Amino acid sequence: MSELASRAEELDAVDELAAKRAEFVLDEVVYLDGNSLGALPAAVPGRIADVVARQWGELRIRSWEESGWWTAPERIGDRIAPLVGAARGQVVVGDSTSVNVFKALVGAVRLAGPGRDEIVVDATTFPTDGYIAESAARLTGRTLRPVAPAEVPGVLGDRTAAVLLNHVDYRTGRLHDLPGLTAAVHAAGAYAVWDLCHSAGALPVGLDEHGVDLAVGCTYKYLNGGPGAPAYLYVRRELQDRFDSPLPGWNSHAEPFGMRADYRPAPGALRGRVGTPDILSMLALEAALEVWDGVSVEAVRAKSLALTDFFLECVAEYVSAGRVECLTPSAHAERGSQVALRCADAGPVMARLVERGVVGDFRAPDVLRFGFTPLYVGFAEVERAARVLAEVLAGAG
């Protein structure tokens, strides 16, 4: 046994989150793609069976009240809230991340009011966020200004209405300065909208602490909600009475069953709802969130950094010098919960890794991504992944 493999066993022996692994359905594969789709929590299949067979099959429409379907969006939002550093009553679950980005960004522009005619967007963002920002700019008559996150403070001014940023870069795993950038946006009199898809469930976010205005995120990555699980929208409590959603629906009406011709928004975060909730996927998410019982986000962050540190150490030890280039920052303050490695033949390399039982993913044209979900990834798996990577790279070379 190598020195690193021996150390991996020692680290697993003292891992305070190791017991959580038993709450997931896992096999012998080293699964390092939880930053795309989280593993299946063991409680979900039984819960969904009950939802389908009893709640839908037997109770049918009575389940809107008797099974709590109607209150699911805000109830599950309150389960997510502590994972992103928010108090209850500010997060509502529903729709996709893309739809919530649209609601949040247009809502932020409306909060800014006339006279502020520019939207600033992260130029390195996930493409869809950029597409939606461009559409929101056209819809609201604003100019779109794409810049790198580090350049944001220098372009803010009295024209800025809203700024849309990703907390963690989906390609490189770079963690951006949410507290500092939010403060800069506020100093300019604008509103900050954050996309938390690659940070929620992997590290502390601190939405309330740092005064974030609006935020969105998906639930199928580190929150393990399942494919197509509904996303969420955070609206800071102080802004809720003025939040004017561009997608008002019957489900966010103050009297949803009044069927009135005029729209009057519900109070609080409920005005972020639109149409009928996706009950099957929403209740699967609720069951999935039970794995977070008794877990602190701080403990998750500590293990995440330990896992990524150990992986980088193993790669440096096992992989021939110059074969890969690490794109993920080494500084903890700048790192999310993934490691991105660049190599010219990344596509074929990832395909061979998957064949060997190490599952990460490939991002064109030349990036290998490895996501580390602390609730079910262990140090021995990390060592194995780096060792297999070295063998694949040596063979490919």
Side-chain angles (χ1 to χ4, degrees):
M1 179 181 294
S2 72
E3 179 183 342
L4 287 172
S6 177
R7 187 142 62 86
E9 289 189 354
E10 294 172 0
L11 289 168
D12 280 332
V14 297
D15 174 18
E16 65 179 280
L17 295 178
K20 281 291 171 180
R21 182 178 173 85
E23 298 183 33
F24 291 86
V25 177
L26 297 166
D27 50 25
E28 295 305 311
V29 168
V30 179
Y31 190 65
L32 301 181
D33 207 8
N35 54 326
S36 288
L37 176 64
L40 172 66
V44 171
R47 187 69 53 82
I48 287 301
D50 177 72
V51 172
V52 172
R54 184 181 65 85
Q55 297 181 29
W56 180 14
E58 297 176 14
L59 296 179
R60 292 178 287 275
I61 200 164
R62 289 164 53 195
S63 276
W64 284 105
E65 292 293 336
E66 294 180 29
S67 300
W69 288 2
W70 183 254
T71 58
E74 59 268 30
R75 182 178 73 244
I76 302 172
D78 284 341
R79 289 294 299 266
I80 292 172
L83 302 180
V84 292
R88 296 169 62 88
Q90 298 175 101
V91 179
V92 65
V93 172
D95 306 309
S96 67
T97 306
S98 301
V99 171
N100 282 314
V101 168
F102 179 77
K103 287 188 283 188
L105 189 55
V106 174
V109 171
R110 290 177 173 178
L111 284 167
R116 290 183 173 267
D117 61 358
E118 187 171 82
I119 297 173
V120 175
V121 64
D122 178 355
T124 65
T125 190
F126 188 76
T128 295
D129 284 13
Y131 306 155
I132 291 173
E134 193 277 332
S135 179
R138 284 190 286 112
L139 180 72
T140 59
R142 266 64 175 183
T143 300
L144 186 66
R145 187 168 187 174
V147 299
E151 299 170 358
V152 166
V155 304
L156 299 174
D158 56 11
R159 292 184 54 196
T160 311
V163 180
L164 172 62
L165 295 164
N166 269 248
H167 196 190
V168 173
D169 187 288
Y170 79 100
R171 283 178 297 248
T172 67
R174 176 179 290 277
L175 173 64
H176 297 303
D177 180 10
L178 182 147
L181 289 170
T182 300
V185 171
H186 288 167
Y191 291 85
V193 181
W194 284 92
D195 183 330
L196 309 177
C197 284
H198 287 269
S199 59
L203 52 91
V205 177
L207 293 179
D208 286 354
E209 176 186 359
H210 303 302
V212 169
D213 300 305
L214 300 110
V216 304
C218 66
T219 61
Y220 48 79
K221 300 185 193 307
Y222 296 109
L223 298 182
N224 311 297
Y232 56 90
L233 170 69
Y234 163 89
V235 182
R236 182 157 56 89
R237 194 179 310 280
E238 292 81 2
L239 301 177
Q240 290 175 358
D241 289 345
R242 295 190 291 125
F243 176 66
D244 181 8
S245 173
L247 294 174
W250 78 279
N251 221 252
S252 63
H253 197 287
E255 297 180 66
F257 294 99
M259 301 302 166
R260 300 182 181 279
D262 61 311
Y263 179 73
R264 184 163 57 88
L270 292 181
R271 63 180 59 194
R273 295 171 63 153
V274 184
T276 305
D278 304 319
I279 291 300
L280 295 181
S281 58
M282 192 168 288
L283 296 186
L285 167 63
E286 184 172 35
L289 290 170
E290 291 176 4
V291 302
W292 288 93
D293 291 346
V295 175
S296 75
V297 179
E298 289 73 22
V300 168
R301 176 58 168 167
K303 184 177 175 183
S304 165
L305 291 172
L307 288 169
T308 49
D309 278 344
F310 189 58
F311 181 70
L312 290 170
E313 182 182 353
C314 291
V315 169
E317 177 69 22
Y318 294 154
V319 176
S320 299
R323 187 64 174 86
V324 296
E325 174 193 359
C326 184
L327 302 179
T328 304
S330 59
H332 286 181
E334 299 176 2
R335 186 195 308 165
S337 198
Q338 73 179 55
V339 172
L341 303 176
R342 173 178 286 153
C343 69
D345 49 348
V349 165
M350 183 54 70
R352 283 191 282 274
L353 281 172
V354 173
E355 291 173 359
R356 294 278 305 273
V358 175
V359 180
D361 70 8
F362 161 67
R363 284 291 179 267
D366 57 3
V367 176
L368 301 167
R369 290 197 322 170
F370 301 95
F372 298 83
T373 306
L375 294 184
Y376 55 77
V377 173
F379 292 90
E381 292 175 294
V382 167
E383 188 274 336
R384 175 184 162 194
R387 181 162 31 87
V388 173
L389 173 63
E391 293 168 2
V392 167
L393 289 170

